[in-house]
Amino acid sequence: MRSFFRIVAITLLLCTLTGCHTSSRDQIAESAKSRITAQETASSVYDIHFGYQKDLGKWLDMEKEYLYDPDGDASDGITKFNTIGMIHVGERLYFPISKQTPLSTEDNFYAYVSTKTGEKHYICPDPLCGHDEESGCPYINFDVLAFPPDSDSKIYGVRTNIVAGTAVLQDRIYEIDLSENKLRQIYNSKDICKDFDVDYITMYFIIEDTLYFTDRFVFYEDVERERIVTERTWLLGLNLKTKETAVLNDHFDENLERFHVIGDRIFYTDLAERTVYCTDFAFTEKTPVLQYPDGYQLSIDQYDSNTGELYMLVTNSELHQAAVYPENPNAIKCTLYCVDSDLQCKEVPMPSDQLIDFQLTNEYIYYRKYDPINFKTPPYERNAIDVFGNKLYRVKRSDTMTPEVAFDGHEELFFRDYFVTGDYLYFAYYALVIREEGQVFRRMGATARVNMKENTIKWLNLD
């Protein structure tokens, strides 16, 4: 690599010699030396953050050409609700990306890749920006993103800020305009409530240029050396044209979550009743759709507009723990449900009754199941359990009881967030690292793209 940079520098030097006769020999030499240093520094910085990747996935070839089959399997018309991490919108897949350091993954930053061309872009328009706190990048550390249904250039994001001179943590909503390369704050919770200590924003959906969301305010009060904590949730509507916020309900039921709009219906979950309901926009009546047992949770829901079906997974959080085993894993039964356009709910038979997650495509159901492998090694006593067994499975939607392994990480390429379209698997890579308390799985801030058919890999790093 160094010899390459030296060749480039020498070539530039020769161009300088033949193209300009006003520089001295010392100036030319110093200029060439500066170029070499800059290139080598960039190379060493890249190796510091991403050098570990060259030793991973040796059974996979490096991707040389991006392949795309327009007639192949895809996720067209499928919406995944409540997404954190990878978000698929139209032909774009948005994913968080960052630089790895010895202490952290630094600042989270979103990029997106075209699932048709493989081209990668950043939400920050400045090609010289470092996309971190040090560079002052305004596009970092967005926790959640939302996308309007009629625009591919607008993004709405939530970011937590520390109020200057205080310990107050405050969420704000921003509008990112990719077409005009602009970032604008459009909601400040201090304009709604003045004296809170922490607040949490949950964005639900956008209808007719209005973003509906809740803001949960937390208040601390110290009484006789005891901290009293109270909460209050507000339902709000933000007009995306005028940027005005309307208070719809200033005592919103905090047990109501997971609001989804499908056509002229709203689906939501009552956590206290452990029931999914369907209602109309006027909330005149509600129809129970699905009830799940105590100790379980609704973890993933996806809608297929091609078939009019809503898929929901009821799972148990005990299966997701990397440090402990469930007390009685054989008693845990997770269930995948399908709700049709007539609100008829039925169980989808699957090869495992301990599904941890799933993703729909037009042809397949991809899933991971509870298949724990403990990577704990002496002298460490802490468990390091890969609960997924480092494998991704799939079944055809027309035959949900005949599984096949779609991807095997070979106990090396550990992944959490993932998305599949066509023959490609995108995943956020985690590494097994040593901490003071033992071994843990650590997010590395890197995303990989694997062509499962051609057995190739490409890392989508922060340049």
Side-chain angles (χ1 to χ4, degrees), residues 311 348 361-365 395-402:
Y311 284 74
V348 180
T361 65
N362 298 134
E363 186 177 351
Y364 291 96
I365 301 176
V395 293
K396 287 192 173 183
R397 292 174 63 171
S398 59
D399 178 13
T400 61
M401 290 301 291
T402 305

Side-chain angles (χ1 to χ4, degrees), residues 22-39:
T22 59
S23 300
S24 67
R25 181 175 298 179
D26 291 341
Q27 289 174 325
I28 293 171
E30 186 64 29
S31 177
K33 181 179 178 181
S34 297
R35 289 190 177 94
I36 293 171
T37 302
Q39 295 285 5

Side-chain angles (χ1 to χ4, degrees), residues 200 202-205 212-217 231-237 247-260 266-271 279 283:
Y200 304 95
T202 301
M203 295 188 293
Y204 289 125
F205 47 76
Y212 293 86
F213 64 100
T214 56
D215 202 337
R216 180 163 62 93
F217 297 99
E231 298 183 3
R232 181 178 169 188
T233 301
W234 296 31
L235 177 64
L236 303 161
V247 177
L248 307 178
N249 187 332
D250 60 1
H251 284 82
F252 192 71
D253 189 342
E254 61 184 17
N255 289 311
L256 304 184
E257 288 190 354
R258 307 180 75 89
F259 284 80
H260 313 319
I266 296 178
F267 290 82
Y268 68 94
T269 303
D270 188 319
L271 299 180
T279 185
F283 278 79

Side-chain angles (χ1 to χ4, degrees), residues 352-366:
S352 171
D353 58 6
Q354 292 190 328
L355 266 62
I356 291 181
D357 57 32
F358 80 97
Q359 187 215 314
L360 291 179
T361 65
N362 298 134
E363 186 177 351
Y364 291 96
I365 301 176
Y366 287 83

